[in-house]
């Protein structure tokens, strides 16, 4: 693809030619994304978790996308990363650095390693002999260790001004454009927005990897574009106390011109409670359950156990940053209830008509006859066994004709089932806030 082709697409009058160029550009873009993903996967497999800086080099990697790959790896592992391709005895590529490390300053003192080098605090490009790769890796690792640089510290974000949505207009953006061009030492203004309502959040892009939503404040509302944040759809949809850092841009669409925000960063105030109980809501990757990590501040409630009392105790008085509620139930007793007086009476009357009953082969038939869900019927039979109304031996249920009259409420199984139904009703039907309050409050409150 030449530079003339995209220009022809924008300025030409031949619709067929424009469509052909558009399809070609789309194809090239897909090829580029696939190339980035392929190199990213290969490079990630080379990461050494014992090192504080990663220098990753391999023959055959396309030099034109190594900066993108380095940036993605840096964001993924939280370390400064150098990604290089090897060709004819030389390694050429790019570095991306966290704020804790000024990569240009670090490498500028070792120019003897390179045949070409340049960059700034957060990024650098370089060419060096392959024989110097080990020395480069050793130097950068020592640079971090000797200075005690904390790569876990988050990058500082400078906010230029707090925005009130009611005050915004295209004229303000035009005024800001007079400050352009922007660059490394003259960043585009970043604005702080809070006290907003979020609506119409959806994923966009061919691979649905980007996010678009609307923020409102008073009578004013604006669209927000969040590139690469498609996986955070549920978080933005349900966020409470959301605060945004944004830049301003113009959206030209369908003959209309409007002001929109480009997301720089976001944060929330207080514990976030995310409801994933719908069938279509996806469970996020990499978030542990409380069983997997009892000390995690962000957890997923995926499968709801029937032994809920012990499980619930893990939540009491703990602090969380976020809880994702999927709440899957293997045995949804909240749908069947814990047995009505009529259901118990019907079962009692029926089994006394058949003193011996083969549960292994006729349980389903009995469920249909009584019009009682099999899940609940099994519990009712267990309650009868506990109260000595029946005995069960190898699947054969036998009526006890000498059984004493007892109340169903005397059964521990019955009492446990009542509590389980109540618990499941909360986890299936209550709001996220009600579920959270139920879990974190002590049982004696």
């Amino acid at each position: 693809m030449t530079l003339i082709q995209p220009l022809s697409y924008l300025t030409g009058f031949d619709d067929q030619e424009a469509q052909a160029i558009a399809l070609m550009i789309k194809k090239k873009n897909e090829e580029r994304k696939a190339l980035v993903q392929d190199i990213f996967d290969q490079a990630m497999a080379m990461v050494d978790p014992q090192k504080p800086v990663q220098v990753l080099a391999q023959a055959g990697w396309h030099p034109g996308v190594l900066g993108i790959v380095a940036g993605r790896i840096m964001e993924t592992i939280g370390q400064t990363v150098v990604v290089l391709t090897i060709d004819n005895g030389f390694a050429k590529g790019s570095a991306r650095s966290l704020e804790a490390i000024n990569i240009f300053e670090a490498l500028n003192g070792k120019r003897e390693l390179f045949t070409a080098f340049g960059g700034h605090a957060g990024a650098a490009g370089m060419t060096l002999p392959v024989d110097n790769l080990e020395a480069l890796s050793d130097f950068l690792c020592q640079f971090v260790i000797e200075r005690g640089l904390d790569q876990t510290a988050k990058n500082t974000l400078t906010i230029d001004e707090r925005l009130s949505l009611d005050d915004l207009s295209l004229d303000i953006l035009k005024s800001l454009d007079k400050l352009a061009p922007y660059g490394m030492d003259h960043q585009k203004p970043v604005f702080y927005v809070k006290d907003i309502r979020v609506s119409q959040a959806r994923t966009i892009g061919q691979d649905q990897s980007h996010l678009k939503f609307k923020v409102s404040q008073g009578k004013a509302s604006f669209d927000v574009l969040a590139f690469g944040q498609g996986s955070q759809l549920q978080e933005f949809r349900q966020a409470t106390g959301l605060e945004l850092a944004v830049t301003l841009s113009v959206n030209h669409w369908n003959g209309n011109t409007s002001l929109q925000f480009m997301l720089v960063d976001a944060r929330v105030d207080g514990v976030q409670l995310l409801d994933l109980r719908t069938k279509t809501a996806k469970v996020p990757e990499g978030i542990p359950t409380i069983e997997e990590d009892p000390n995690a501040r962000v957890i997923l409630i995926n499968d709801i156990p029937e032994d809920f009392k012990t499980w619930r105790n893990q939540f009491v008085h703990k602090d969380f940053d976020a809880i994702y509620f999927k709440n899957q139930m293997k045995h949804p007793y909240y749908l069947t209830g814990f047995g009505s007086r009529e259901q118990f009476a019907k079962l009692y009357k029926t089994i006394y008509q058949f003193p011996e009953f083969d549960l292994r082969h006729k349980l389903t038939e009995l469920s249909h006859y009584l019009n009682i869900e099999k899940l609940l019927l099994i519990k009712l039979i267990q309650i009868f066994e506990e109260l000595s109304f029946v005995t069960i031996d190898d699947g054969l249920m036998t009526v006890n004709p000498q059984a004493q009259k007892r109340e169903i409420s005397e059964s521990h199984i019955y009492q446990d089932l009542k509590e389980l139904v109540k618990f499941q009703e909360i986890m299936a039907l209550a709001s996220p806030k009600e579920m959270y309050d139920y879990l974190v409050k002590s049982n004696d409150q």
Side-chain angles (χ1 to χ4, degrees):
M1 182 173 68
T2 67
L3 291 174
I4 299 298
Q5 288 170 317
L7 184 62
S8 299
Y9 172 69
L10 295 172
T11 61
F13 294 96
D14 188 322
D15 289 344
Q16 288 186 337
E17 181 185 8
Q19 184 178 20
I21 294 173
L23 291 173
M24 182 269 296
I25 293 173
K26 180 180 178 181
K27 180 182 177 182
K28 291 293 183 182
N29 189 45
E30 292 302 316
E31 291 174 353
R32 177 193 60 79
K33 289 195 289 186
L35 182 63
V36 168
Q37 186 63 47
D38 184 47
I39 297 174
F40 172 82
D41 292 339
Q42 293 179 46
M44 282 295 295
M46 299 166 62
V47 168
D48 184 349
Q50 303 302 317
K51 292 183 177 181
V53 177
Q54 303 297 321
V55 177
L56 312 171
Q58 184 167 297
W61 287 349
H62 195 295
V65 298
L66 298 186
I68 298 173
V69 173
R72 281 187 57 186
I73 296 175
M74 180 192 72
E75 293 173 358
T76 302
I77 67 175
Q79 290 184 352
T80 293
V81 179
V82 183
V83 181
L84 307 133
T85 186
I86 297 174
D87 184 35
N88 292 326
F90 287 89
K92 179 181 180 180
S94 299
R96 293 294 183 269
S97 179
L98 298 173
E99 190 173 282
I101 302 174
N102 185 322
I103 192 66
F104 179 80
E105 180 183 281
L107 296 179
N108 195 43
K110 274 287 182 178
R111 281 186 174 268
E112 66 270 17
L113 293 176
F114 309 105
T115 57
F117 167 73
H120 52 75
M126 66 203 71
T127 302
L128 67 158
V130 171
D131 292 342
N132 290 351
L133 284 174
E134 186 175 351
L136 174 62
S137 177
D138 291 344
F139 168 73
L140 285 174
C141 290
Q142 283 300 116
F143 185 89
V144 171
I145 294 170
E146 290 176 357
R147 289 163 178 77
L149 299 176
D150 181 11
Q151 295 194 89
T152 63
K154 295 183 178 180
N155 288 351
T156 301
L157 177 62
T158 300
I159 300 293
D160 294 282
E161 188 70 51
R162 177 175 173 176
L163 283 182
S164 172
L165 269 57
D166 288 326
D167 297 334
L168 285 176
S169 67
L170 284 171
D171 290 336
I172 291 178
L173 181 56
K174 291 177 182 178
S175 298
L176 290 174
D177 284 344
K178 295 177 181 178
L179 301 175
Y182 300 107
M184 186 63 193
D185 295 321
H186 180 47
Q187 298 282 342
K188 199 170 186 179
V190 176
F191 298 97
Y192 172 60
V193 181
K194 67 176 298 188
D195 300 327
I196 52 176
R197 299 183 304 278
V198 175
S199 62
Q200 301 178 30
R202 67 187 190 278
T203 54
I204 59 174
Q206 185 172 2
D207 56 359
Q208 302 296 294
S209 61
H210 310 305
L211 189 65
K212 185 175 184 178
F213 56 94
K214 189 177 290 293
V215 292
S216 304
Q217 188 181 74
K219 295 182 179 180
S221 63
F222 296 93
D223 287 333
V224 181
L225 287 180
F227 289 108
Q229 298 299 315
S231 62
Q232 301 295 308
L233 174 62
Q234 292 295 337
E235 285 81 352
F236 278 92
R237 270 182 175 169
Q238 302 184 47
T240 56
L242 182 64
E243 303 171 16
L244 304 179
V246 299
T247 58
L248 307 184
S249 71
V250 175
N251 180 34
H252 299 285
W253 174 251
N254 204 22
N256 297 315
T257 301
S258 60
L259 180 65
Q260 67 181 4
F261 296 154
M262 309 300 292
L263 184 69
V264 177
D265 204 351
R267 71 180 183 187
V268 289
D269 182 26
V271 60
Q272 298 300 296
L273 308 174
L274 291 306
D275 193 345
L276 306 179
R277 289 175 293 181
T278 62
K279 289 184 178 180
T280 57
K282 295 182 179 179
V283 175
E285 297 180 1
I287 297 179
T289 63
I290 199 165
E291 296 87 354
E292 294 168 339
D293 186 354
N295 298 315
R297 294 184 63 88
V298 177
I299 64 163
L300 167 69
I301 297 179
N302 196 17
D303 297 312
I304 299 295
E306 292 182 22
D307 180 17
F308 68 93
K309 294 179 182 178
T310 302
W311 177 80
R312 182 189 170 197
N313 286 336
Q314 300 176 91
F315 293 86
V316 175
H317 299 321
K318 282 193 176 180
D319 294 324
F320 297 96
D321 293 330
I323 301 178
Y324 293 76
F325 295 97
K326 188 61 179 176
N327 298 7
Q328 300 181 118
M329 300 178 194
K330 185 177 181 180
H331 299 129
Y333 288 104
Y334 77 98
L335 295 176
T336 67
F338 46 82
S340 65
R341 179 178 294 274
E342 291 75 14
Q343 287 172 322
F344 277 108
K346 198 172 184 180
L347 174 61
Y348 187 85
K349 181 179 179 180
T350 301
I351 63 175
Y352 268 80
Q353 293 175 352
F354 304 95
E356 289 189 351
F357 196 91
D358 190 343
L359 295 174
R360 293 169 300 180
H361 301 103
K362 295 189 176 181
L363 182 63
T364 300
E365 184 180 334
L366 181 61
S367 170
H368 291 158
Y369 176 75
L370 297 173
N371 195 26
I372 298 175
E373 290 285 342
K374 186 191 291 187
L375 181 67
L376 175 60
L377 179 58
I378 292 171
K379 282 290 184 183
L380 302 190
I381 292 172
Q382 290 173 347
I383 292 168
F384 276 12
E385 182 183 27
E386 181 188 8
L387 296 175
S388 300
F389 295 163
V390 299
T391 59
I392 300 175
D393 183 19
D394 196 25
L396 186 65
M397 180 172 66
T398 305
V399 171
N400 178 10
Q402 281 79 43
Q404 297 180 0
K405 184 177 180 180
R406 300 178 65 182
E407 295 294 329
I408 295 297
S409 58
E410 296 180 46
S411 165
H412 295 295
I413 296 175
Y414 175 74
Q415 295 298 338
D416 289 344
L417 180 59
K418 284 183 68 175
E419 292 186 43
L420 178 59
V421 168
K422 177 185 175 183
F423 166 70
Q424 288 189 348
E425 284 177 345
I426 292 172
M427 301 307 290
L429 306 174
S431 70
K433 180 64 166 59
E434 290 169 333
M435 288 188 287
Y436 175 74
D437 289 342
Y438 174 79
L439 290 174
V440 300
K441 290 180 180 179
S442 64
N443 294 332
D444 56 4
Q445 285 185 321

